[in-house]
Amino acid sequence: MQVWPPVPKPAGEPPGASTQPFPAVPGPPLPRPVTPGILGAGSGAAAGTGTAAEAVPGDRAPATPEAAAAAPVPPPRRRTALRVGGAVLAVAVAMGIPTWHGYVFYRSGNPAYQVHAVAAGGTGTLMNVAWKVGVEQTDSLPGARPIKADQRWLKIKVTRTSLNTEGVIRRGDPEIKVKHPDGRAWQTEVVDKSLPVEVKDHKVGVGYDYNVISLVPEQVAGEVEVEVLPSTIRVPLEEESVEDLFKRAGTEKTEPQDQVLLFRR
């Protein structure tokens, strides 16, 4: 056995005559070449289930019935795209359903109004009732508090005239608004009305008034417009029993209150 370091060479030995070998340095064994066809066999051999012949390079592992029947696995990139697409779709659906329900709920209380514009001094007709609006400006009202110098009171008269019996039945109070063309709006208040209390006293072709007031800035007092939203409520001409009211409520068609008359100034 050769030892290391080597023993000193004899004094008389010429240079370069030594053949002392370098020591062997231990290292990891080189990997055996494996072809793609024997990956399955190699794993089996590693587990102790394969044979020496199955591990010979160049041989292909025999396919099992289970492997032959298995569906091809999509590439990893395609699987990732499918997962991302499915996640995006799920989020969109999850967000879209509440949004749609919210929109429906909003529209149930805030319908998309169908606006019918009426020229200044003109008359608008909806549901067998003719409507007309007049507006006056004033600095003060009897019994009202003093206002600022840059404010004006508006005295608004809304007149309704039933054109036939159906118009008489449509005698629910309208909703009246004061709005500027830029979208701003101001509160209104119905001071009094001449509409008969009893339905039998309501005459076809006779005008009945709603007297309305509103406080607006002076600079827009001559520009604001009046919106009239007629009621869809139908009041019977004669008194009905509670039983008859319930019967009629089940057969009457509900109309959306989305028709608006816009009176220009």
Side-chain angles (χ1 to χ4, degrees):
M1 176 181 294
Q2 180 66 47
V3 296
W4 190 265
V7 296
K9 63 181 178 178
E13 184 176 353
S18 176
T19 60
Q20 180 66 39
F22 287 97
V25 180
L30 295 176
R32 295 177 58 188
V34 180
T35 61
I38 66 167
L39 290 178
S43 60
T49 59
T51 63
E54 293 174 338
V56 177
D59 292 346
R60 298 184 61 87
T64 62
E66 292 80 6
V73 180
R77 182 175 300 176
R78 183 180 178 186
R79 289 201 303 269
T80 303
L82 290 175
R83 290 172 183 169
V84 172
V88 172
L89 179 61
V91 171
V93 171
M95 295 180 64
I97 291 177
T99 302
W100 171 250
H101 283 295
Y103 175 80
V104 172
F105 177 78
Y106 171 79
R107 280 304 178 199
S108 64
N110 301 272
Y113 293 118
Q114 300 183 39
V115 179
H116 306 274
V118 181
T123 301
T125 302
L126 278 178
M127 293 181 287
N128 300 286
V129 177
W131 297 88
K132 194 169 184 177
V133 170
V135 182
E136 295 180 7
Q137 300 182 37
T138 182
D139 296 334
S140 62
L141 291 174
R145 61 177 176 81
I147 60 175
K148 298 179 181 179
D150 60 349
Q151 293 179 319
R152 288 291 182 273
W153 284 107
L154 295 182
K155 296 171 63 177
I156 306 168
K157 178 177 289 187
V158 179
T159 304
R160 61 156 292 155
T161 304
S162 298
L163 302 179
N164 49 38
T165 303
E166 180 64 23
V168 174
I169 293 175
R170 305 281 186 166
R171 61 192 308 273
D173 291 336
E175 184 177 348
I176 302 170
K177 300 179 181 180
V178 170
K179 299 181 68 175
H180 192 273
D182 64 7
R184 288 179 292 171
W186 291 268
Q187 185 177 0
T188 62
E189 179 183 353
V190 177
V191 178
D192 58 60
K193 59 183 179 180
S194 62
L195 196 69
V197 176
E198 299 293 335
V199 181
K200 60 182 178 61
D201 296 331
H202 192 123
K203 307 299 182 181
V204 174
V206 177
Y208 300 101
D209 300 327
Y210 290 89
N211 293 311
V212 185
I213 59 173
S214 181
L215 185 62
V216 302
E218 179 186 12
Q219 60 182 356
V220 300
E223 302 172 356
V224 294
E225 302 168 336
V226 179
E227 280 189 356
V228 176
L229 181 64
S231 173
T232 59
I233 296 175
R234 301 176 82 253
V235 182
L237 297 178
E238 298 178 359
E239 289 189 10
E240 294 181 323
S241 64
V242 176
E243 184 180 353
D244 292 337
L245 285 174
F246 276 107
K247 288 181 179 179
R248 185 166 56 83
T251 57
E252 256 186 2
K253 180 182 178 182
T254 303
E255 298 182 53
Q257 190 168 354
D258 59 358
Q259 305 291 317
V260 178
L261 292 171
L262 176 63
F263 291 87
R264 305 292 190 185
R265 294 287 303 282

